[in-house]
């Protein structure tokens, strides 16, 4: 085996005390973006805390699987584990993101075609059922296993060693390299990935076409028509009242003209 280069992380650095501290800090900061995303949602469409937990926990399980898979794969060779972890992470954030999107679309189509309503991402029933959440977690985890398998096969292509030397070869300090690999770059990329994936797997709130008002159902078009009629109703009443008065006046005059006249002679 080729000797490990002088620069870069040593063996087991990713799971050392400093590495674990960075990973815990990364998890706290990255998932705080999902909290921010919830408060950015419109109040009418904001998810309850339980639904939000069900949605985000699927990402947490998938992210933990990908993270530990990358840590495991990075220590399999004699190469710098930090640079190898970074390559895995970059592939997960680019090609892997495309695979996740494709997997979510395919699984969603199959679930809707088979009419497995409890497995539709973001739908947990009313009231929310833990069984639906568990089923969706399993589906999402299968998507992540598919994504990581494809990325691992891509890494078997020769030429990645040269890219490893280019990425972090100019950083002489192993601690600085570990901070860049395990916190700075993953935080930026994970924040974007979590935001995008959460939008993919959350329930899509669409504007309802009907509104239930006093037990009646109205379409938006009918509601707009009714509003316009309400706005025009004073003028319409005024015109109607005038026309009624005119007609009643004419009718009264005609009745007077038609009544026979009597002359009394004393």
């Amino acid at each position: 085996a080729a000797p490990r280069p002088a620069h870069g992380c040593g063996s087991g650095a990713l799971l050392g005390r400093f590495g674990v501290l960075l990973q815990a800090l990364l998890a706290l900061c990255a998932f705080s973006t999902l909290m921010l995303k919830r408060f950015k949602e419109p109040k009418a469409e904001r998810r309850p805390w339980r639904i939000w937990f069900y949605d985000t926990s699927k990402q947490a399980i998938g992210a933990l699987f990908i993270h530990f898979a990358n840590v495991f794969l990075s220590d399999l060779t004699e190469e710098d584990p930090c640079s190898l972890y970074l390559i895995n992470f970059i592939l997960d954030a680019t090609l892997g993101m495309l695979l996740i999107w494709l997997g979510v679309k395919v699984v969603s189509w199959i679930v809707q075609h088979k009419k497995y309503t409890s497995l539709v991402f973001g739908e947990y029933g009313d009231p929310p059922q833990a069984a639906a959440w568990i089923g969706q977690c399993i589906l999402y985890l299968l998507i992540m296993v598919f994504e990581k398998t494809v990325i691992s096969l891509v890494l078997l292509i020769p030429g990645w060693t040269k890219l490893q030397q280019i990425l972090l070869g100019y950083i002489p300090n192993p601690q600085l390299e570990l901070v860049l690999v395990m916190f700075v770059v993953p935080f930026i990329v994970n924040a974007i990935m979590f935001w995008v994936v959460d939008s993919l797997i959350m329930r899509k709130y669409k504007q309802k076409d009907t509104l239930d008002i006093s037990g009646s159902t109205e379409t938006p078009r009918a509601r707009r028509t009714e509003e316009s009629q309400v706005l025009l109703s004073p003028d319409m009443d005024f015109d109607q009242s005038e026309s009624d008065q005119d007609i009643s006046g004419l009718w009264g005059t005609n009745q007077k003209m038609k009544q026979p006249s009597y002359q009394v002679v004393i």
Side-chain angles (χ1 to χ4, degrees), residues 143-178:
I143 294 173
M144 303 306 288
V145 170
F146 163 74
E147 181 267 344
K148 195 67 238 178
T149 302
V150 175
I151 296 300
S152 300
L153 294 176
V154 172
L155 283 174
L156 295 178
I157 301 174
W160 292 109
T161 304
K162 294 181 179 180
L163 181 60
Q164 288 178 243
Q165 297 173 358
I166 295 174
L167 286 176
L168 298 173
Y170 58 89
I171 301 178
N173 190 340
Q175 299 293 327
L176 178 58
E177 183 176 343
L178 193 60

Side-chain angles (χ1 to χ4, degrees), residues 21-38:
L21 177 64
L22 289 176
Q23 294 172 52
L25 184 61
L26 170 65
L28 179 64
C29 294
F31 280 101
S32 65
T33 60
L34 293 174
M35 184 83 69
L36 176 62
K37 183 178 183 296
R38 180 185 180 273

Side-chain angles (χ1 to χ4, degrees), residues 4 10-17 75 81:
R4 186 182 297 274
S11 177
L14 299 181
L15 293 178
R17 181 179 301 178
D75 268 333

Side-chain angles (χ1 to χ4, degrees), residues 73-116:
L73 293 174
S74 299
D75 268 333
L76 285 181
T77 66
E78 293 295 327
E79 301 294 334
D80 177 16
C82 284
S83 59
L84 189 56
Y85 179 90
L86 184 60
I87 291 176
N88 274 278
F89 188 81
I90 292 174
L91 287 175
D92 288 330
T94 52
L95 178 59
M97 191 67 196
L98 178 61
L99 294 173
I100 293 173
W101 175 84
L102 182 62
V104 169
K105 292 297 182 181
V106 171
V107 169
S108 299
W109 181 84
I110 294 175
V111 166
Q112 292 178 1
H113 182 70
K114 297 294 184 179
K115 297 182 180 180
Y116 298 144

